[in-house]
Amino acid sequence: MALPRPATLLPRAPRPHRPSPAASAESAAPAAPAAFSVRTAHPRDAAELAALSQPFISSGALRPRPFHVYAQRASDFLVAEGPDGALDGCLALRLLPEPAHDGRAAGVVYNFCVAHRRQGSGVGARLLAAALAQGLSRSLDALFTATTGSGRLFLRYGFAPVSADLAPVSWARSLDPRRNAQVLARVL
């Protein structure tokens, strides 16, 4: 079974709506949160990555990972760093060693979390957009993820539900069926 073409099941992400400057100025939206930047994590960020992830691990939204994974795989992580230097969000993008079921070069997005105080502020959207750009720059054909949540942000960015059978075998086998996670994919 092959991954569907982008025009069928896995469309490219639609362009986000951007209101005109006049409409933005007239809206009664709350003040924008402090600026943040997105960068690749460093091994020195491991403790903060683990701490940022812990509430989501405790709630069951993320799988537990040993501390050394955050240090050894720091280069997989993109982080949103606030002006105070604190990490406000993270996600990891790992290139998979074997292709997807249909031979496409694939990656997986994992450990996606945004600090509670920054949820709804665009941090998650910026991280996911950066991961998609990074996937394209690495010549990946498809990205996969598994989520126990609604997956709304992924769906807004062109991911669609797929069978785990379409994913690279080693990653699909690593999924814990007790978590009842939904597998999503996007063709790049």
Side-chain angles (χ1 to χ4, degrees):
M1 181 185 279
L3 270 176
R5 295 176 193 256
T8 58
L9 181 60
L10 299 177
R12 294 198 187 274
R15 294 193 185 275
H17 171 73
R18 295 181 192 263
S20 69
S24 295
E26 295 172 8
S27 71
F36 62 92
S37 60
V38 173
R39 64 169 174 83
T40 301
H42 304 287
R44 68 178 176 267
D45 295 318
E48 203 167 356
L49 288 168
L52 179 62
S53 302
Q54 189 54 53
F56 300 93
I57 293 166
S58 297
S59 74
L62 287 180
R63 290 168 48 170
R65 290 180 172 78
F67 176 79
H68 75 270
V69 170
Y70 294 104
Q72 290 174 349
R73 294 188 181 167
S75 64
D76 284 359
F77 283 85
L78 294 171
V79 296
E81 184 176 49
D84 61 355
L87 299 188
D88 292 328
C90 68
L91 67 69
L93 172 60
R94 185 148 184 89
L95 281 67
L96 297 172
E98 83 270 9
H101 189 270
D102 64 356
R104 294 175 192 253
V108 63
V109 174
Y110 69 98
N111 207 105
F112 190 3
C113 57
V114 175
H116 181 70
R117 70 185 182 284
R118 292 303 301 262
Q119 290 184 7
S121 70
V123 169
R126 284 259 313 269
L127 284 166
L128 187 53
L132 292 170
Q134 195 172 83
L136 285 169
S137 74
R138 293 180 178 183
S139 300
L140 294 178
D141 298 314
L143 289 179
F144 291 86
T145 195
T147 182
T148 58
S150 69
R152 283 188 307 260
L153 183 62
F154 286 108
L155 297 173
R156 279 198 331 243
Y157 276 78
F159 284 76
V162 297
S163 167
D165 295 338
L166 297 179
V169 174
S170 64
W171 179 75
R173 285 185 183 153
S174 75
L175 298 174
D176 182 350
R178 296 172 296 180
R179 292 176 49 79
N180 198 27
Q182 176 180 212
V183 175
L184 304 172
R186 175 167 175 205
V187 172
L188 298 177

